[in-house]
């Protein structure tokens, strides 16, 4: 794994997804094609980061779906809320 990137064995990432450390993925996270996660991102367990999503300086709480080519920066996502 790249420097500062923590990915558990149960996480899955598409070959075109990019992880830019520091990044921490929780258990059973799925990162789809074209997504860019990082830097400074923590994703809780059981999350889906959909196609084309860009996350930077963000926290995604457990059981959250981030979709629709959404770009999140300096944010916290919790299921159906972004702050």
């Amino acid at each position: 794994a790249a420097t500062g990137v923590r990915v558990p064995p149960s996480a899955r990432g598409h070959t075109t997804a990019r992880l830019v450390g520091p990044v921490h993925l929780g258990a059973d996270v799925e990162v789809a094609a074209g997504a860019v996660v990082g830097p400074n991102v923590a994703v809780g367990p059981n999350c889906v980061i959909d196609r084309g999503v860009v996350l930077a300086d963000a926290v995604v709480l457990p059981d959250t779906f981030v979709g629709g080519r959404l770009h999140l920066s300096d944010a916290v996502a919790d299921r159906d809320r972004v702050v």
Side-chain angles (χ1 to χ4, degrees):
T3 302
V5 175
R6 297 182 58 149
V7 179
S10 62
R12 298 167 308 282
H14 191 273
T15 58
T16 62
R18 288 189 334 158
L19 302 178
V20 181
V23 169
H24 177 85
L25 300 183
D28 300 313
V29 168
E30 181 178 338
V31 182
V36 179
V37 180
N40 305 315
V41 173
V43 180
N46 305 310
C47 291
V48 174
I49 309 304
D50 204 13
R51 298 175 71 91
V53 167
V54 177
L55 298 174
D57 302 308
V59 175
V60 180
L61 297 177
D63 304 307
T64 300
F65 175 84
V66 181
R69 300 187 186 278
L70 190 64
H71 288 220
L72 286 180
S73 181
D74 300 313
V76 176
D78 182 14
R79 295 186 188 171
D80 61 348
R81 294 182 178 93
V82 175
V83 290

